[in-house]
Amino acid sequence: MKYHIATFGCQMNEYDSGLLSSLLEGVGCQATSNTEEADLLFFNTCSIREKAEETAIARVSQYQCFKRKNPKLKIFIVGCMAKNKGKDLFKKLPYVDYIIGPDHYKEIPEIILKHKHRHLFIDFDETENYQGYYAKLQTPYSTSVSIQRGCNKRCSYCIVPYVRGKEKYRDAIDVLAEIQRAADQGVSEIMLLGQTVNAYHNENISFATLLDKISQINGIERIRFTSPHPRHYNDELLDVLISNPKICNHAHLPLQSGSDAILKKMRRQYNVEQFLSIVERLRKNNPLYAITTDIISGFVGETDDDFEQTLNVVREAEFDNAFMFIYSPRAGTESFQEKETLSEKEKWGRHERLVVIQNEIISKRNKLMFNRDEKILVERPSTKDPEEWVGKTDNFKKVIFKPNQIVHPGDYVVCHINDIRGWTLRGEIVGE
Ligand code: 5AD
Ligand code: SF4
């Protein structure tokens, strides 16, 4: 049987799609990028904002007619929206065959054999952390490894704890085995994943210790992780981040708001001063340390003054990049109970002001890279011009270069950054 997975949402979903691929290939299924020849069509969905669910539903709707052409076709909705909307999805999309939540992927091969008709598997399994199951590599040189599933934080706006359940950590031995296997297959860059990834602890192993152990695996050159929670940066972690050269100089550190009053309402467990002190410590020894973030504009009760404070923190922290969102009330969350205080227009107005300010900061931060020699992990030819290639610096900046030698995805080369157009860094190879 041939399968195709369309993935929506975050990197955890990308990883889970890799897990699903290896489970399906383990029972003889083959991947296809052509949806028309697939017998099993999976939609791995996201619920974080309402728009994410609407997009996924619209996509699934396009495949109804495929069933007429191929009566054997089975359509699966998996992931967060499967858990969130459950059997309502069968009402909305009657041609969908299976709805499967994030704790039931291992059962899919059996479900296909046993249940010929529509079926729903969405209850939480608090013991399921896919111990011993390894995802298909995302690329031959760089891949993600999940170390934590679920989240215990319950930020008041967030649906994740309700669709992914309680925090579960994988055994360090299992994580190291998955990374060793990836390294044996040629992977040199690892992205560790978890909703609050730096809260990782298992038996006596802290996140800092895990990072150190990973850095000792032969072949692993770059270690990244996402998303850390500001509450879980301690001295032990900051020391290892600064001292271990294999841990990349980039942190995705979600701010959400720059107002202490809003952070409290969001139940974020830190204040602005604590957040900025992490930024300062990370950049103290290395001003090029890249910090990216997530910011929500227009949270319930956010006043003009609260929003001005967010803009001030954005100016002070000088984020290298930011994902900026409009607050989207999610049924079931704490803040959903509260009546919104801002119109859509007001929320968008704030968002647009933020985007303008942040964009200028991105240009300013990128300019710091000019005239530097940077080690690049070569990724792929550029989509615009196949004679040019794309790679990434240690601090997660994309660099475009025209190779003066043969390069392959996964190579490391040193590029001299000699041009910056808008947000794009350009360079030429000056060494290996
Ligand atoms: N509305 C808008 N943005 C949200 N996020 C999470 N929940 C919501 C919501 N209800 C954002 C946060 C989080 C990122 C993954 O998505 O900024 O860090
Ligand atoms: Fe959501 Fe907060 Fe958990 Fe992040 S830490 S997944 S924002 S509840």
Side-chain angles (χ1 to χ4, degrees):
M1 274 197 282
K2 292 200 169 153
Y3 76 91
H4 177 87
I5 308 176
T7 308
F8 301 82
C10 66
Q11 296 182 62
M12 187 63 87
N13 266 11
E14 293 287 348
Y15 176 83
D16 280 356
S17 291
L19 204 56
L20 203 52
S21 292
S22 66
L23 282 160
L24 291 166
E25 288 174 23
V27 293
C29 297
Q30 294 151 6
T32 174
S33 54
N34 179 0
T35 49
E36 292 197 23
E37 63 171 28
D39 307 295
L40 308 170
L41 256 181
F42 291 87
F43 296 88
N44 191 359
T45 57
C46 169
S47 287
I48 197 95
R49 283 165 291 275
E50 200 173 342
K51 182 88 197 314
E53 291 193 337
E54 287 166 4
T55 310
I57 288 173
R59 257 303 266 299
V60 180
S61 312
Q62 294 168 0
Y63 289 91
Q64 179 173 13
C65 57
F66 278 45
K67 284 207 143 175
R68 259 177 267 134
K69 283 186 240 154
N70 177 5
K72 282 195 311 197
L73 173 67
K74 298 283 184 206
I75 298 182
F76 296 71
I77 295 185
V78 306
C80 297
M81 185 175 71
K83 171 70 190 161
N84 192 36
K85 290 234 174 312
K87 61 178 183 321
D88 284 355
L89 287 170
F90 280 140
K91 281 188 215 137
K92 213 177 181 101
L93 305 163
Y95 42 87
V96 165
D97 296 280
Y98 304 104
I99 295 175
I100 296 175
D103 285 344
H104 294 276
Y105 298 149
K106 264 166 38 185
E107 292 146 67
I108 287 177
E110 196 189 324
I111 290 171
I112 302 169
L113 289 176
K114 256 199 195 157
H115 301 277
K116 301 287 175 220
H117 302 293
R118 295 199 326 191
H119 232 87
L120 182 81
F121 291 84
I122 56 167
D123 49 321
F124 284 135
D125 179 346
E126 285 181 16
T127 60
E128 183 55 271
N129 62 4
Y130 296 95
Q131 197 85 6
Y133 286 79
Y134 305 151
K136 192 172 168 177
L137 299 183
Q138 289 166 336
T139 72
Y141 55 88
S142 174
T143 204
S144 297
V145 172
S146 154
I147 64 171
Q148 174 205 15
R149 300 183 72 85
C151 182
N152 283 0
K153 284 279 183 276
R154 292 190 186 254
C155 299
S156 57
Y157 51 82
C158 186
I159 200 165
V160 168
Y162 304 92
V163 291
R164 285 196 166 262
K166 289 200 185 122
E167 228 164 67
K168 297 176 267 193
Y169 297 108
R170 272 176 74 191
D171 275 1
I173 291 172
D174 203 33
V175 170
L176 293 168
E178 182 166 359
I179 297 174
Q180 179 71 64
R181 197 181 76 143
D184 292 345
Q185 292 173 19
V187 164
S188 72
E189 182 183 67
I190 290 292
M191 170 71 91
L192 301 175
L193 298 179
Q195 306 297 341
T196 55
V197 71
N198 56 335
Y200 179 88
H201 58 92
N202 200 292
E203 314 240 310
N204 288 328
I205 303 208
S206 65
F207 185 58
T209 314
L210 183 69
L211 288 172
D212 246 341
K213 285 183 183 290
I214 295 169
S215 73
Q216 287 158 27
I217 293 177
N218 241 343
I220 297 301
E221 298 296 331
R222 287 185 170 184
I223 306 166
R224 303 185 183 278
F225 52 88
T226 200
S227 285
H229 190 288
R231 168 80 197 274
H232 298 280
Y233 271 85
N234 51 28
D235 289 345
E236 185 203 14
L237 177 58
L238 283 157
D239 285 348
V240 77
L241 295 183
I242 291 161
S243 63
N244 188 322
K246 291 197 176 171
I247 305 172
C248 291
N249 291 302
H250 167 227
H252 182 73
L253 195 59
L255 169 68
Q256 313 299 5
S257 167
S259 149
D260 282 343
I262 295 296
L263 286 175
K264 204 164 182 190
K265 279 192 82 175
M266 287 177 161
R267 298 201 184 284
R268 286 293 291 172
Q269 306 182 357
Y270 55 84
N271 60 30
V272 168
E273 192 190 335
Q274 288 162 335
F275 185 94
L276 288 174
S277 90
I278 301 168
V279 172
E280 195 191 317
R281 285 181 73 180
L282 290 172
R283 287 204 180 130
K284 199 166 147 198
N285 295 327
N286 176 9
L288 286 169
Y289 196 104
I291 299 175
T292 55
T293 199
D294 292 342
I295 299 171
I296 301 174
S297 296
F299 185 62
V300 257
E302 185 188 80
T303 62
D304 283 335
D305 184 52
D306 289 320
F307 185 65
E308 289 304 324
Q309 290 179 44
T310 297
L311 297 182
N312 286 340
V313 175
V314 165
R315 289 186 192 102
E316 189 170 344
E318 297 201 332
F319 296 114
D320 291 79
N321 210 338
F323 293 107
M324 294 167 274
F325 309 106
I326 309 273
Y327 170 59
S328 166
R330 309 301 292 129
T333 62
E334 190 186 330
S335 61
F336 184 77
Q337 325 277 338
E338 279 185 72
K339 201 170 173 299
E340 284 208 75
T341 46
L342 296 163
S343 66
E344 283 303 295
K345 198 172 158 210
E346 284 166 318
K347 291 200 272 183
W348 275 99
R350 287 184 183 180
H351 170 77
E352 278 160 17
R353 274 188 69 202
L354 173 63
V355 169
V356 170
I357 291 169
Q358 177 56 34
N359 286 354
E360 278 174 20
I361 295 170
I362 296 173
S363 302
K364 182 176 168 196
R365 292 285 306 165
N366 281 347
K367 281 193 189 123
L368 298 178
M369 302 294 285
F370 187 66
N371 242 339
R372 292 180 56 86
D373 289 346
E374 288 286 331
K375 195 167 182 184
I376 307 290
L377 172 56
V378 176
E379 292 181 352
R380 56 180 170 80
S382 141
T383 33
K384 279 194 198 136
D385 176 355
E387 284 191 12
E388 293 189 321
W389 281 66
V390 180
K392 289 241 173 57
T393 62
D394 174 294
N395 67 352
F396 209 55
K397 309 256 181 200
K398 192 163 106 176
V399 176
I400 296 185
F401 60 98
K402 209 171 238 174
N404 45 14
Q405 62 188 63
I406 292 176
V407 290
H408 305 96
D411 289 350
Y412 286 90
V413 294
V414 177
C415 271
H416 181 71
I417 311 293
N418 54 17
D419 187 15
I420 299 180
R421 286 181 217 162
W423 293 358
T424 313
L425 310 184
R426 286 173 179 274
E428 60 172 341
I429 300 180
V430 290
E432 279 172 40

